[in-house]
Amino acid sequence: MKVKAADLISTWFGCGRAPVAPGTAGSAAAVAIAIVLHTYAGLAPWHFALLAAILFFPAIWAAGVTARTYNIKDPGFVVVDEVIGQWIALAGASTLNWKSYLLAFTLFRLFDIWKPPPVRQLEALPGGLGINADDVMAGVYAALVLYAVGRVGLI
């Protein structure tokens, strides 16, 4: 039961099982959820930082259990970290619209793949913390760029 629950959370309800680019699938699912929550529940950008914070500790647990179960340090099918990072990126938006969703998605994926310091170094943290911490930092970088772009009125 514990392993099934961890798998469900860590793969973000199966998004991580996408046959191609599971991290991108997890990020896209996070943006899709954000669009629905903004449109129908009125969530503001800062709410996504709160959602990411709420999900952080369950994500550490789930990613750690999944990594131990499959005996893989950072399984590619664990994408809950992409969801958290993507939501952090969205928190930097001055407004939520198609431009900010697209830019947040692109920036987060860029920083997640590029892994500028200290993003790569955070991967070295143990277990589920290391799996999630690098994406949190990539999300912070993306949020900062998105915030700056919004401040100068480009989105």
Side-chain angles (χ1 to χ4, degrees):
M1 182 81 161
K2 175 176 106 169
V3 171
K4 285 186 180 193
D7 189 72
L8 194 64
I9 294 167
S10 68
T11 65
W12 199 247
F13 307 95
C15 291
R17 303 286 184 200
V20 177
T24 301
S27 292
V31 171
I33 291 167
I35 290 168
V36 169
L37 290 174
H38 172 68
T39 303
Y40 296 105
L43 268 63
W46 69 269
H47 288 115
F48 294 102
L50 182 60
L51 287 174
I54 291 167
L55 184 58
F56 186 65
F57 289 107
I60 290 172
W61 169 80
V65 168
T66 301
R68 284 190 302 277
T69 299
Y70 291 93
N71 199 27
I72 303 171
K73 183 175 175 6
D74 189 354
F77 53 86
V78 169
V79 297
V80 68
D81 50 333
E82 271 80 9
V83 174
I84 290 171
Q86 191 64 70
W87 285 348
I88 291 169
L90 286 167
S94 56
T95 185
L96 293 172
N97 57 38
W98 71 270
K99 292 184 224 174
S100 59
Y101 291 125
L102 181 61
L103 188 56
F105 177 82
T106 303
L107 287 168
F108 172 70
R109 293 305 297 147
L110 174 72
F111 287 120
D112 187 31
I113 293 165
W114 176 28
K115 297 191 185 303
V119 176
R120 184 164 312 282
Q121 290 77 5
L122 291 171
E123 285 182 313
L125 293 170
L129 180 60
I131 292 170
N132 284 278
D134 66 311
D135 290 87
V136 167
M137 193 67 224
V140 168
Y141 282 156
L144 290 171
V145 173
L146 192 62
Y147 177 79
V149 167
R151 293 294 292 170
V152 297
L154 295 176
I155 57 172

Short mmCIF file of all heavy atoms in Angstrom, two decimals, residues 39-104:
data_model
loop_
_atom_site.label_atom_id
_atom_site.label_comp_id
_atom_site.label_asym_id
_atom_site.label_seq_id
_atom_site.Cartn_x
_atom_site.Cartn_y
_atom_site.Cartn_z
N THR A 39 -8.35 29.48 -13.45
CA THR A 39 -9.59 29.81 -14.17
C THR A 39 -10.83 29.56 -13.33
O THR A 39 -11.74 30.40 -13.30
CB THR A 39 -9.67 28.99 -15.48
OG1 THR A 39 -8.50 29.27 -16.26
CG2 THR A 39 -10.91 29.34 -16.28
N TYR A 40 -10.88 28.42 -12.66
CA TYR A 40 -12.12 28.03 -11.98
C TYR A 40 -12.12 28.25 -10.47
O TYR A 40 -13.18 28.30 -9.86
CB TYR A 40 -12.45 26.57 -12.30
CG TYR A 40 -12.71 26.39 -13.77
CD1 TYR A 40 -11.78 25.78 -14.60
CD2 TYR A 40 -13.89 26.87 -14.35
CE1 TYR A 40 -12.01 25.63 -15.96
CE2 TYR A 40 -14.12 26.73 -15.71
CZ TYR A 40 -13.18 26.11 -16.50
OH TYR A 40 -13.41 25.99 -17.84
N ALA A 41 -10.95 28.39 -9.86
CA ALA A 41 -10.90 28.61 -8.41
C ALA A 41 -10.29 29.97 -8.07
O ALA A 41 -10.21 30.33 -6.91
CB ALA A 41 -10.12 27.49 -7.73
N GLY A 42 -9.84 30.70 -9.09
CA GLY A 42 -9.32 32.05 -8.87
C GLY A 42 -7.97 32.11 -8.20
O GLY A 42 -7.61 33.14 -7.63
N LEU A 43 -7.19 31.04 -8.24
CA LEU A 43 -5.89 31.07 -7.60
C LEU A 43 -4.97 32.09 -8.26
O LEU A 43 -4.94 32.21 -9.48
CB LEU A 43 -5.23 29.69 -7.64
CG LEU A 43 -5.50 28.78 -6.42
CD1 LEU A 43 -6.97 28.46 -6.29
CD2 LEU A 43 -4.68 27.54 -6.48
N ALA A 44 -4.26 32.81 -7.42
CA ALA A 44 -3.28 33.81 -7.86
C ALA A 44 -1.91 33.15 -7.95
O ALA A 44 -1.71 32.05 -7.43
CB ALA A 44 -3.26 34.97 -6.87
N PRO A 45 -0.94 33.81 -8.57
CA PRO A 45 0.39 33.20 -8.68
C PRO A 45 0.98 32.74 -7.34
O PRO A 45 1.55 31.65 -7.26
CB PRO A 45 1.23 34.31 -9.32
CG PRO A 45 0.26 35.06 -10.17
CD PRO A 45 -1.01 35.07 -9.37
N TRP A 46 0.84 33.53 -6.30
CA TRP A 46 1.44 33.15 -5.02
C TRP A 46 0.85 31.88 -4.45
O TRP A 46 1.52 31.16 -3.69
CB TRP A 46 1.34 34.30 -4.00
CG TRP A 46 -0.03 34.60 -3.52
CD1 TRP A 46 -0.91 35.50 -4.05
CD2 TRP A 46 -0.70 34.01 -2.41
NE1 TRP A 46 -2.08 35.50 -3.34
CE2 TRP A 46 -1.98 34.59 -2.31
CE3 TRP A 46 -0.35 33.04 -1.46
CZ2 TRP A 46 -2.90 34.24 -1.33
CZ3 TRP A 46 -1.25 32.70 -0.48
CH2 TRP A 46 -2.52 33.29 -0.42
N HIS A 47 -0.37 31.55 -4.83
CA HIS A 47 -0.98 30.31 -4.36
C HIS A 47 -0.19 29.08 -4.83
O HIS A 47 -0.18 28.05 -4.14
CB HIS A 47 -2.43 30.18 -4.84
CG HIS A 47 -3.38 31.10 -4.17
ND1 HIS A 47 -4.03 32.11 -4.86
CD2 HIS A 47 -3.78 31.19 -2.89
CE1 HIS A 47 -4.80 32.76 -4.02
NE2 HIS A 47 -4.67 32.23 -2.81
N PHE A 48 0.47 29.20 -5.97
CA PHE A 48 1.22 28.06 -6.48
C PHE A 48 2.49 27.82 -5.68
O PHE A 48 2.93 26.67 -5.55
CB PHE A 48 1.46 28.20 -7.99
CG PHE A 48 0.15 28.12 -8.72
CD1 PHE A 48 -0.46 29.26 -9.19
CD2 PHE A 48 -0.51 26.92 -8.87
CE1 PHE A 48 -1.70 29.21 -9.82
CE2 PHE A 48 -1.74 26.84 -9.49
CZ PHE A 48 -2.34 27.99 -9.96
N ALA A 49 3.07 28.87 -5.11
CA ALA A 49 4.18 28.69 -4.18
C ALA A 49 3.69 27.95 -2.93
O ALA A 49 4.37 27.06 -2.41
CB ALA A 49 4.79 30.03 -3.81
N LEU A 50 2.51 28.30 -2.47
CA LEU A 50 1.93 27.63 -1.32
C LEU A 50 1.64 26.16 -1.62
O LEU A 50 1.95 25.27 -0.82
CB LEU A 50 0.64 28.36 -0.89
CG LEU A 50 -0.08 27.81 0.34
CD1 LEU A 50 0.82 27.86 1.56
CD2 LEU A 50 -1.36 28.61 0.58
N LEU A 51 1.07 25.88 -2.79
CA LEU A 51 0.81 24.49 -3.18
C LEU A 51 2.11 23.70 -3.27
O LEU A 51 2.17 22.53 -2.84
CB LEU A 51 0.07 24.43 -4.51
CG LEU A 51 -1.40 24.83 -4.50
CD1 LEU A 51 -1.96 24.85 -5.92
CD2 LEU A 51 -2.22 23.92 -3.60
N ALA A 52 3.16 24.32 -3.81
CA ALA A 52 4.45 23.65 -3.90
C ALA A 52 5.00 23.34 -2.50
O ALA A 52 5.53 22.25 -2.26
CB ALA A 52 5.44 24.52 -4.68
N ALA A 53 4.85 24.27 -1.57
CA ALA A 53 5.32 24.06 -0.21
C ALA A 53 4.54 22.93 0.47
O ALA A 53 5.13 22.10 1.18
CB ALA A 53 5.20 25.35 0.60
N ILE A 54 3.24 22.88 0.24
CA ILE A 54 2.41 21.82 0.83
C ILE A 54 2.81 20.45 0.26
O ILE A 54 2.85 19.45 0.98
CB ILE A 54 0.91 22.11 0.58
CG1 ILE A 54 0.47 23.32 1.41
CG2 ILE A 54 0.05 20.89 0.88
CD1 ILE A 54 -0.88 23.89 1.02
N LEU A 55 3.13 20.40 -1.01
CA LEU A 55 3.47 19.15 -1.67
C LEU A 55 4.91 18.71 -1.40
O LEU A 55 5.24 17.54 -1.57
CB LEU A 55 3.24 19.29 -3.19
CG LEU A 55 3.46 18.07 -4.07
CD1 LEU A 55 2.58 16.89 -3.64
CD2 LEU A 55 3.20 18.43 -5.53
N PHE A 56 5.77 19.61 -0.94
CA PHE A 56 7.20 19.33 -0.83
C PHE A 56 7.51 18.11 0.04
O PHE A 56 8.24 17.21 -0.39
CB PHE A 56 7.95 20.57 -0.32
CG PHE A 56 9.44 20.41 -0.31
CD1 PHE A 56 10.15 20.24 -1.48
CD2 PHE A 56 10.15 20.42 0.89
CE1 PHE A 56 11.53 20.09 -1.48
CE2 PHE A 56 11.51 20.28 0.90
CZ PHE A 56 12.21 20.12 -0.27
N PHE A 57 7.00 18.04 1.24
CA PHE A 57 7.36 16.93 2.13
C PHE A 57 6.74 15.60 1.68
O PHE A 57 7.44 14.57 1.70
CB PHE A 57 7.06 17.26 3.59
CG PHE A 57 8.02 18.30 4.12
CD1 PHE A 57 7.60 19.60 4.34
CD2 PHE A 57 9.35 17.97 4.36
CE1 PHE A 57 8.49 20.56 4.79
CE2 PHE A 57 10.25 18.93 4.81
CZ PHE A 57 9.82 20.22 5.04
N PRO A 58 5.50 15.57 1.24
CA PRO A 58 5.01 14.31 0.65
C PRO A 58 5.82 13.90 -0.59
O PRO A 58 6.04 12.71 -0.82
CB PRO A 58 3.56 14.62 0.27
CG PRO A 58 3.16 15.75 1.16
CD PRO A 58 4.41 16.55 1.39
N ALA A 59 6.30 14.87 -1.35
CA ALA A 59 7.10 14.57 -2.54
C ALA A 59 8.45 13.96 -2.15
O ALA A 59 8.92 13.02 -2.81
CB ALA A 59 7.30 15.83 -3.38
N ILE A 60 9.07 14.49 -1.11
CA ILE A 60 10.33 13.92 -0.63
C ILE A 60 10.12 12.46 -0.23
O ILE A 60 10.89 11.58 -0.61
CB ILE A 60 10.90 14.74 0.55
CG1 ILE A 60 11.38 16.09 0.07
CG2 ILE A 60 12.03 13.98 1.24
CD1 ILE A 60 11.77 17.04 1.20
N TRP A 61 9.07 12.22 0.55
CA TRP A 61 8.77 10.86 0.99
C TRP A 61 8.51 9.95 -0.21
O TRP A 61 9.11 8.87 -0.32
CB TRP A 61 7.54 10.87 1.91
CG TRP A 61 7.03 9.49 2.18
CD1 TRP A 61 7.54 8.59 3.07
CD2 TRP A 61 5.95 8.85 1.52
NE1 TRP A 61 6.84 7.42 2.99
CE2 TRP A 61 5.85 7.55 2.05
CE3 TRP A 61 5.05 9.24 0.52
CZ2 TRP A 61 4.88 6.64 1.63
CZ3 TRP A 61 4.08 8.33 0.11
CH2 TRP A 61 4.00 7.06 0.65
N ALA A 62 7.63 10.37 -1.11
CA ALA A 62 7.24 9.52 -2.25
C ALA A 62 8.43 9.24 -3.17
O ALA A 62 8.64 8.10 -3.60
CB ALA A 62 6.11 10.18 -3.03
N ALA A 63 9.22 10.26 -3.48
CA ALA A 63 10.38 10.08 -4.35
C ALA A 63 11.39 9.14 -3.69
O ALA A 63 11.99 8.29 -4.38
CB ALA A 63 11.01 11.42 -4.68
N GLY A 64 11.58 9.29 -2.40
CA GLY A 64 12.52 8.43 -1.68
C GLY A 64 12.08 6.98 -1.68
O GLY A 64 12.88 6.07 -1.93
N VAL A 65 10.81 6.75 -1.40
CA VAL A 65 10.28 5.38 -1.41
C VAL A 65 10.40 4.77 -2.80
O VAL A 65 10.84 3.62 -2.97
CB VAL A 65 8.81 5.35 -0.92
CG1 VAL A 65 8.16 3.99 -1.19
CG2 VAL A 65 8.73 5.69 0.56
N THR A 66 10.03 5.53 -3.81
CA THR A 66 10.10 5.03 -5.19
C THR A 66 11.54 4.73 -5.60
O THR A 66 11.81 3.69 -6.20
CB THR A 66 9.44 6.02 -6.17
OG1 THR A 66 8.08 6.20 -5.77
CG2 THR A 66 9.47 5.51 -7.58
N ALA A 67 12.46 5.61 -5.27
CA ALA A 67 13.88 5.40 -5.61
C ALA A 67 14.41 4.13 -4.93
O ALA A 67 15.11 3.33 -5.56
CB ALA A 67 14.70 6.62 -5.21
N ARG A 68 14.06 3.93 -3.66
CA ARG A 68 14.50 2.72 -2.94
C ARG A 68 13.85 1.46 -3.52
O ARG A 68 14.50 0.44 -3.68
CB ARG A 68 14.20 2.83 -1.45
CG ARG A 68 15.15 3.75 -0.71
CD ARG A 68 14.98 3.67 0.80
NE ARG A 68 13.65 3.98 1.26
CZ ARG A 68 13.18 5.20 1.47
NH1 ARG A 68 13.95 6.26 1.23
NH2 ARG A 68 11.95 5.40 1.90
N THR A 69 12.56 1.56 -3.85
CA THR A 69 11.84 0.41 -4.39
C THR A 69 12.47 -0.08 -5.68
O THR A 69 12.62 -1.29 -5.89
CB THR A 69 10.36 0.76 -4.62
OG1 THR A 69 9.77 1.12 -3.36
CG2 THR A 69 9.60 -0.39 -5.22
N TYR A 70 12.82 0.83 -6.57
CA TYR A 70 13.39 0.47 -7.87
C TYR A 70 14.92 0.45 -7.86
O TYR A 70 15.54 0.15 -8.88
CB TYR A 70 12.88 1.42 -8.95
CG TYR A 70 11.41 1.23 -9.23
CD1 TYR A 70 10.45 2.00 -8.58
CD2 TYR A 70 10.98 0.26 -10.13
CE1 TYR A 70 9.09 1.80 -8.82
CE2 TYR A 70 9.63 0.06 -10.39
CZ TYR A 70 8.70 0.85 -9.72
OH TYR A 70 7.36 0.65 -9.97
N ASN A 71 15.52 0.81 -6.72
CA ASN A 71 16.97 0.84 -6.56
C ASN A 71 17.63 1.72 -7.64
O ASN A 71 18.61 1.34 -8.27
CB ASN A 71 17.56 -0.58 -6.58
CG ASN A 71 18.95 -0.61 -5.98
OD1 ASN A 71 19.29 0.22 -5.15
ND2 ASN A 71 19.75 -1.56 -6.43
N ILE A 72 17.04 2.91 -7.84
CA ILE A 72 17.56 3.91 -8.78
C ILE A 72 17.70 5.22 -8.02
O ILE A 72 16.74 5.65 -7.37
CB ILE A 72 16.61 4.10 -9.99
CG1 ILE A 72 16.37 2.77 -10.72
CG2 ILE A 72 17.16 5.14 -10.94
CD1 ILE A 72 15.28 2.84 -11.78
N LYS A 73 18.86 5.86 -8.08
CA LYS A 73 19.10 7.09 -7.31
C LYS A 73 18.10 8.20 -7.64
O LYS A 73 17.56 8.83 -6.75
CB LYS A 73 20.53 7.58 -7.54
CG LYS A 73 20.88 8.81 -6.72
CD LYS A 73 22.33 9.19 -6.89
CE LYS A 73 22.78 10.44 -6.24
NZ LYS A 73 21.98 11.20 -5.41
N ASP A 74 17.86 8.45 -8.92
CA ASP A 74 16.92 9.50 -9.34
C ASP A 74 16.15 8.99 -10.56
O ASP A 74 16.49 9.30 -11.70
CB ASP A 74 17.67 10.79 -9.67
CG ASP A 74 16.75 11.98 -9.91
OD1 ASP A 74 15.51 11.80 -9.94
OD2 ASP A 74 17.28 13.10 -10.09
N PRO A 75 15.09 8.21 -10.31
CA PRO A 75 14.34 7.63 -11.44
C PRO A 75 13.74 8.70 -12.34
O PRO A 75 13.14 9.67 -11.86
CB PRO A 75 13.23 6.82 -10.76
CG PRO A 75 13.63 6.68 -9.33
CD PRO A 75 14.52 7.84 -9.02
N GLY A 76 13.88 8.53 -13.64
CA GLY A 76 13.33 9.49 -14.59
C GLY A 76 11.82 9.56 -14.57
O GLY A 76 11.24 10.57 -14.95
N PHE A 77 11.18 8.51 -14.09
CA PHE A 77 9.72 8.49 -14.05
C PHE A 77 9.16 9.16 -12.80
O PHE A 77 7.95 9.32 -12.67
CB PHE A 77 9.17 7.07 -14.21
CG PHE A 77 9.76 6.07 -13.23
CD1 PHE A 77 9.23 5.91 -11.97
CD2 PHE A 77 10.83 5.29 -13.61
CE1 PHE A 77 9.76 5.00 -11.09
CE2 PHE A 77 11.38 4.36 -12.75
CZ PHE A 77 10.85 4.21 -11.47
N VAL A 78 10.02 9.59 -11.89
CA VAL A 78 9.59 10.40 -10.74
C VAL A 78 9.50 11.84 -11.23
O VAL A 78 10.52 12.44 -11.58
CB VAL A 78 10.56 10.26 -9.55
CG1 VAL A 78 10.24 11.30 -8.48
CG2 VAL A 78 10.49 8.86 -8.98
N VAL A 79 8.29 12.37 -11.29
CA VAL A 79 8.09 13.72 -11.84
C VAL A 79 7.38 14.67 -10.87
O VAL A 79 7.11 15.81 -11.23
CB VAL A 79 7.33 13.68 -13.19
CG1 VAL A 79 8.14 12.92 -14.24
CG2 VAL A 79 5.94 13.10 -13.05
N VAL A 80 7.12 14.24 -9.65
CA VAL A 80 6.50 15.15 -8.69
C VAL A 80 7.40 16.35 -8.45
O VAL A 80 6.92 17.46 -8.19
CB VAL A 80 6.14 14.42 -7.37
CG1 VAL A 80 7.37 14.01 -6.59
CG2 VAL A 80 5.19 15.26 -6.52
N ASP A 81 8.71 16.16 -8.60
CA ASP A 81 9.65 17.26 -8.44
C ASP A 81 9.47 18.31 -9.54
O ASP A 81 9.59 19.51 -9.29
CB ASP A 81 11.10 16.75 -8.40
CG ASP A 81 11.45 15.80 -9.53
OD1 ASP A 81 10.56 15.11 -10.06
OD2 ASP A 81 12.64 15.72 -9.88
N GLU A 82 9.12 17.86 -10.74
CA GLU A 82 8.83 18.81 -11.83
C GLU A 82 7.55 19.60 -11.54
O GLU A 82 7.46 20.78 -11.85
CB GLU A 82 8.69 18.09 -13.17
CG GLU A 82 9.98 17.93 -13.94
CD GLU A 82 10.84 16.78 -13.45
OE1 GLU A 82 10.37 15.97 -12.62
OE2 GLU A 82 11.99 16.69 -13.90
N VAL A 83 6.58 18.96 -10.93
CA VAL A 83 5.33 19.65 -10.57
C VAL A 83 5.63 20.76 -9.57
O VAL A 83 5.20 21.91 -9.74
CB VAL A 83 4.29 18.66 -10.00
CG1 VAL A 83 3.06 19.39 -9.48
CG2 VAL A 83 3.91 17.62 -11.06
N ILE A 84 6.40 20.44 -8.55
CA ILE A 84 6.76 21.44 -7.54
C ILE A 84 7.55 22.59 -8.17
O ILE A 84 7.24 23.76 -7.95
CB ILE A 84 7.57 20.79 -6.40
CG1 ILE A 84 6.64 19.88 -5.58
CG2 ILE A 84 8.22 21.84 -5.50
CD1 ILE A 84 7.36 19.03 -4.56
N GLY A 85 8.56 22.25 -8.96
CA GLY A 85 9.37 23.29 -9.60
C GLY A 85 8.57 24.16 -10.53
O GLY A 85 8.75 25.39 -10.58
N GLN A 86 7.65 23.54 -11.27
CA GLN A 86 6.82 24.30 -12.21
C GLN A 86 5.90 25.26 -11.46
O GLN A 86 5.72 26.40 -11.88
CB GLN A 86 6.00 23.34 -13.07
CG GLN A 86 5.31 24.00 -14.22
CD GLN A 86 6.28 24.60 -15.22
OE1 GLN A 86 6.97 23.89 -15.93
NE2 GLN A 86 6.34 25.91 -15.29
N TRP A 87 5.33 24.80 -10.36
CA TRP A 87 4.46 25.68 -9.58
C TRP A 87 5.24 26.83 -8.95
O TRP A 87 4.75 27.95 -8.86
CB TRP A 87 3.69 24.88 -8.54
CG TRP A 87 2.55 24.08 -9.12
CD1 TRP A 87 2.03 24.17 -10.38
CD2 TRP A 87 1.81 23.07 -8.46
NE1 TRP A 87 1.00 23.28 -10.53
CE2 TRP A 87 0.84 22.58 -9.37
CE3 TRP A 87 1.86 22.50 -7.19
CZ2 TRP A 87 -0.06 21.57 -9.06
CZ3 TRP A 87 0.97 21.49 -6.87
CH2 TRP A 87 0.01 21.05 -7.79
N ILE A 88 6.47 26.56 -8.52
CA ILE A 88 7.31 27.65 -8.00
C ILE A 88 7.57 28.66 -9.12
O ILE A 88 7.50 29.87 -8.89
CB ILE A 88 8.61 27.10 -7.40
CG1 ILE A 88 8.31 26.31 -6.13
CG2 ILE A 88 9.61 28.22 -7.12
CD1 ILE A 88 9.47 25.51 -5.59
N ALA A 89 7.88 28.17 -10.30
CA ALA A 89 8.10 29.07 -11.44
C ALA A 89 6.89 29.96 -11.68
O ALA A 89 7.02 31.17 -11.88
CB ALA A 89 8.43 28.26 -12.70
N LEU A 90 5.71 29.37 -11.66
CA LEU A 90 4.47 30.14 -11.89
C LEU A 90 4.24 31.20 -10.81
O LEU A 90 3.61 32.23 -11.08
CB LEU A 90 3.27 29.20 -11.97
CG LEU A 90 3.15 28.39 -13.25
CD1 LEU A 90 2.12 27.28 -13.09
CD2 LEU A 90 2.79 29.29 -14.41
N ALA A 91 4.75 30.95 -9.62
CA ALA A 91 4.58 31.91 -8.53
C ALA A 91 5.27 33.24 -8.83
O ALA A 91 4.92 34.27 -8.25
CB ALA A 91 5.10 31.33 -7.23
N GLY A 92 6.22 33.24 -9.75
CA GLY A 92 6.92 34.48 -10.10
C GLY A 92 6.17 35.36 -11.09
O GLY A 92 6.58 36.48 -11.36
N ALA A 93 5.07 34.86 -11.62
CA ALA A 93 4.31 35.63 -12.63
C ALA A 93 3.61 36.82 -12.00
O ALA A 93 3.05 36.72 -10.91
CB ALA A 93 3.30 34.73 -13.32
N SER A 94 3.61 37.94 -12.70
CA SER A 94 2.86 39.10 -12.22
C SER A 94 1.38 38.92 -12.53
O SER A 94 0.52 39.45 -11.83
CB SER A 94 3.40 40.39 -12.85
OG SER A 94 3.36 40.29 -14.26
N THR A 95 1.10 38.20 -13.58
CA THR A 95 -0.27 37.86 -13.96
C THR A 95 -0.23 36.50 -14.64
O THR A 95 0.79 36.11 -15.20
CB THR A 95 -0.88 38.93 -14.89
OG1 THR A 95 -2.24 38.62 -15.12
CG2 THR A 95 -0.14 39.01 -16.21
N LEU A 96 -1.34 35.79 -14.56
CA LEU A 96 -1.40 34.49 -15.21
C LEU A 96 -2.20 34.61 -16.50
O LEU A 96 -3.37 34.96 -16.49
CB LEU A 96 -2.02 33.45 -14.27
CG LEU A 96 -1.18 33.11 -13.05
CD1 LEU A 96 -1.95 32.23 -12.07
CD2 LEU A 96 0.13 32.44 -13.44
N ASN A 97 -1.51 34.36 -17.61
CA ASN A 97 -2.13 34.36 -18.93
C ASN A 97 -1.33 33.39 -19.79
O ASN A 97 -0.36 32.79 -19.32
CB ASN A 97 -2.17 35.76 -19.53
CG ASN A 97 -0.80 36.40 -19.63
OD1 ASN A 97 0.19 35.75 -19.94
ND2 ASN A 97 -0.73 37.69 -19.36
N TRP A 98 -1.69 33.25 -21.04
CA TRP A 98 -1.02 32.26 -21.88
C TRP A 98 0.47 32.53 -22.01
O TRP A 98 1.28 31.61 -22.06
CB TRP A 98 -1.70 32.14 -23.25
CG TRP A 98 -1.49 33.32 -24.16
CD1 TRP A 98 -2.26 34.43 -24.26
CD2 TRP A 98 -0.40 33.49 -25.08
NE1 TRP A 98 -1.73 35.30 -25.20
CE2 TRP A 98 -0.59 34.74 -25.72
CE3 TRP A 98 0.70 32.72 -25.44
CZ2 TRP A 98 0.28 35.23 -26.68
CZ3 TRP A 98 1.57 33.21 -26.39
CH2 TRP A 98 1.35 34.45 -27.00
N LYS A 99 0.86 33.81 -22.00
CA LYS A 99 2.28 34.14 -22.11
C LYS A 99 3.05 33.73 -20.87
O LYS A 99 4.16 33.18 -20.96
CB LYS A 99 2.45 35.64 -22.35
CG LYS A 99 1.96 36.14 -23.68
CD LYS A 99 2.28 37.62 -23.80
CE LYS A 99 1.10 38.35 -24.36
NZ LYS A 99 1.27 39.79 -24.37
N SER A 100 2.47 34.01 -19.70
CA SER A 100 3.18 33.66 -18.46
C SER A 100 3.23 32.14 -18.27
O SER A 100 4.23 31.62 -17.78
CB SER A 100 2.55 34.35 -17.25
OG SER A 100 1.20 34.01 -17.09
N TYR A 101 2.17 31.43 -18.65
CA TYR A 101 2.21 29.96 -18.56
C TYR A 101 3.30 29.40 -19.47
O TYR A 101 4.08 28.55 -19.05
CB TYR A 101 0.86 29.35 -18.97
CG TYR A 101 -0.27 29.62 -18.01
CD1 TYR A 101 -1.44 30.19 -18.46
CD2 TYR A 101 -0.18 29.28 -16.67
CE1 TYR A 101 -2.50 30.44 -17.59
CE2 TYR A 101 -1.23 29.52 -15.79
CZ TYR A 101 -2.39 30.10 -16.26
OH TYR A 101 -3.42 30.33 -15.39
N LEU A 102 3.35 29.89 -20.70
CA LEU A 102 4.34 29.41 -21.66
C LEU A 102 5.76 29.75 -21.23
O LEU A 102 6.67 28.91 -21.29
CB LEU A 102 4.05 29.98 -23.05
CG LEU A 102 4.98 29.53 -24.17
CD1 LEU A 102 4.93 28.02 -24.36
CD2 LEU A 102 4.62 30.25 -25.47
N LEU A 103 5.96 30.98 -20.76
CA LEU A 103 7.30 31.39 -20.33
C LEU A 103 7.73 30.63 -19.07
O LEU A 103 8.88 30.19 -18.98
CB LEU A 103 7.35 32.90 -20.11
CG LEU A 103 8.74 33.48 -19.85
CD1 LEU A 103 9.71 33.13 -20.97
CD2 LEU A 103 8.65 34.99 -19.67
N ALA A 104 6.83 30.46 -18.12
CA ALA A 104 7.17 29.71 -16.91
C ALA A 104 7.55 28.27 -17.26
O ALA A 104 8.53 27.73 -16.73
CB ALA A 104 5.99 29.73 -15.94
#
